[in-house]
Amino acid sequence: MDMNKAHPHASNANLAPALRLLFWETTAACNLACAHCRRLDETVQHRPDQLTTGQASDMLRSLPEAGGGKPIVVFSGGEPLMREDLFELAGVATKAELPIALATNGTMVNDELAGRIVDAGFRRTSISFDGPDAATHDALRGIDGSFDAAVRGLNCLCERGMSVQINTTITQHNHRKLDETYELALKLGADALHLFMLVPVGCGMKLDEDIMLSDGEYERALNWIHDRSDEQRIHLKATCAPHYFRIKQQRAGREQTSRTTSGGMHAETKGCLAGQAVCFVSHTGEVFPCGYLPMSSGNVKQTPLPTIWQESTIFADLRDDAKLKGKCGCCEYAKVCMGCRARAYAESYDYLAEEPNCAYVPKGMR
């Protein structure tokens, strides 16, 4: 995709909200070959242009300057456990009193490594399960045995007292197994189950179109999440699914609400938060609104992340719901939803266009 650069504009600085959550792609290296990876290639080796230990340390130490206190930093990848200085950098973050989490595929985790993860100060580890059984999971992950290895890794972490979250990307191959995925998360003792709706970027662009849910299936999956959330057996979150917040308002009998916030790993805010409370830093230091929206606003090797966060014109656009186009622009739920800006970009190369995977028709268009 075209990695268009945004030129910072100082007048936007006083409009910048607090940075609450930073996803950092620590490395592009990975030991799996997931069909839906947001990367355009299947990188298994470290790249020479990734952030050095010193550059990454400087970025981490700068984060409190972005405003709003100290954001949660998610160390992701690739596979972050393939980065040799991972625990050194975790130490830099914890010394700066930044809350940190780890996003891994879990297959490399054994008892010794689980101990190091806990000792490093990670508050939560998320492990990806793209199905409730080996056949479903391994088919998308590209490596036989990855499901069983991830289960072993999760068990090692739980035995060490780590808070564990399961991430599942919902596609045609597994959306009929949501009940089984839910039961798996409960059986394994996870604290949270985050369900991601596929965004067709990176390797995901090469997938057949029919792997995506239809608008109706999407709507049913979000209503399923709402129903299971009411059971309060585990923390459930719909991710990359901003119109889940529209569904919550509809089912509560309301149309519009302002953003509400609770802190910590279970923060609930509103729909698309790309560039509003969340941003993503690639392994090379490029700063994006989220990991699925490939519009760079600069690089931390040249510009401090707080400056990019405060002055990016792309981020400023994303913070202004009045700039939304199409049915998102006239939707009565715009402020709680925003539509997925990454899916809009993947469909039209316009990150302000309407969300292409929403079944709802705004009142003004009926």
Side-chain angles (χ1 to χ4, degrees):
M1 286 188 178
D2 181 19
M3 306 293 275
N4 295 315
K5 297 285 185 180
H7 297 287
H9 195 285
S11 64
N12 293 321
N14 62 340
L15 302 177
L19 174 60
R20 300 295 185 189
L21 185 61
L22 173 71
F23 292 91
W24 174 36
E25 181 188 46
T26 60
T27 179
C30 189
N31 60 327
L32 297 183
C34 303
H36 57 314
C37 181
R38 58 181 162 71
R39 300 203 55 78
L40 284 168
D41 54 5
E42 297 174 356
T43 304
V44 295
Q45 300 296 325
H46 296 285
R47 291 187 169 183
D49 56 348
Q50 74 177 20
L51 294 179
T52 66
T53 303
Q55 290 166 337
S57 297
D58 289 344
M59 178 193 70
L60 292 167
R61 294 189 187 103
S62 76
L63 291 180
E65 298 172 17
K70 296 171 180 176
I72 297 170
V73 182
V74 179
F75 288 63
S76 68
E79 173 47 59
L81 293 173
M82 294 183 71
R83 179 157 179 147
E84 294 181 356
D85 59 355
L86 176 72
F87 295 107
E88 178 183 350
L89 291 168
V92 171
T94 55
K95 188 174 182 180
E97 299 182 341
L98 296 168
I100 58 173
L102 181 68
T104 172
N105 60 47
T107 60
M108 297 176 64
V109 179
N110 54 26
D111 186 61
E112 178 185 1
L113 197 51
R116 293 187 69 190
I117 292 169
V118 171
D119 292 342
F122 287 104
R123 299 189 183 183
R124 172 169 287 180
T125 299
S126 66
I127 295 181
S128 298
F129 285 89
D130 288 323
D133 52 70
T136 309
H137 174 89
D138 292 359
L140 206 60
R141 290 277 149 180
I143 302 291
D144 290 342
S146 58
F147 177 85
D148 293 337
V151 170
R152 288 193 296 270
L154 185 147
N155 288 336
C156 288
L157 288 163
C158 287
E159 289 169 3
R160 293 278 186 164
M162 171 60 67
S163 174
V164 175
Q165 169 183 312
I166 287 178
N167 292 343
T168 299
T169 298
I170 304 301
T171 63
Q172 281 291 345
H173 89 293
N174 63 10
H175 80 101
R176 294 178 182 85
K177 296 185 177 182
L178 285 174
D179 285 324
E180 294 95 321
T181 301
Y182 179 59
E183 292 301 327
L184 174 70
L186 293 171
K187 177 183 176 182
L188 293 176
D191 293 307
L193 173 60
H194 288 200
L195 296 161
F196 289 69
M197 296 301 170
L198 178 67
V199 181
V201 296
C203 291
M205 294 181 68
K206 302 174 185 177
L207 295 172
D208 292 337
E209 287 187 8
D210 59 7
I211 198 171
M212 296 284 293
L213 301 188
S214 68
D215 292 351
E217 289 167 336
Y218 199 153
E219 200 85 353
R220 286 191 290 275
L222 296 180
N223 276 281
W224 179 93
I225 295 172
H226 189 280
D227 291 339
R228 297 291 81 74
S229 294
D230 283 348
E231 295 177 3
Q232 297 185 355
R233 299 174 69 193
I234 190 173
H235 180 256
L236 271 170
K237 185 176 181 182
T239 304
C240 298
H243 31 295
Y244 176 68
F245 290 82
R246 181 256 302 164
I247 287 173
K248 288 180 68 174
Q249 293 300 306
Q250 285 179 299
R251 294 185 58 164
R254 298 190 299 272
E255 284 189 358
Q256 194 68 277
T257 185
S258 59
R259 185 190 321 194
T260 58
T261 304
S262 63
M265 299 293 176
H266 290 176
E268 281 284 343
T269 50
K270 63 174 192 175
C272 186
L273 292 174
Q276 300 187 54
V278 172
C279 75
F280 176 90
V281 177
S282 77
H283 67 287
T284 63
E286 294 290 323
V287 180
F288 305 109
C290 79
Y292 302 105
L293 180 49
M295 296 287 291
S296 175
S297 288
N299 192 299
V300 299
K301 293 176 181 177
Q302 288 84 41
T303 308
L305 180 57
T307 301
I308 296 172
W309 176 256
Q310 293 162 0
E311 299 181 1
S312 163
T313 54
I314 292 176
F315 287 12
D317 284 345
L318 293 168
R319 295 163 186 164
D320 186 357
D321 58 79
K323 291 188 175 183
L324 295 176
K325 302 174 184 177
K327 69 177 184 179
C328 287
C330 64
C331 184
E332 62 271 26
Y333 294 102
K335 291 186 183 297
V336 295
C337 174
M338 292 287 291
C340 176
R341 299 299 94 218
R343 268 193 293 272
Y345 182 79
E347 177 80 11
S348 65
Y349 292 97
D350 181 355
Y351 56 84
L352 295 172
E354 69 180 46
E355 154 80 61
N357 297 112
C358 178
Y360 184 70
V361 179
K363 287 184 176 179
M365 295 180 68
R366 296 175 197 170

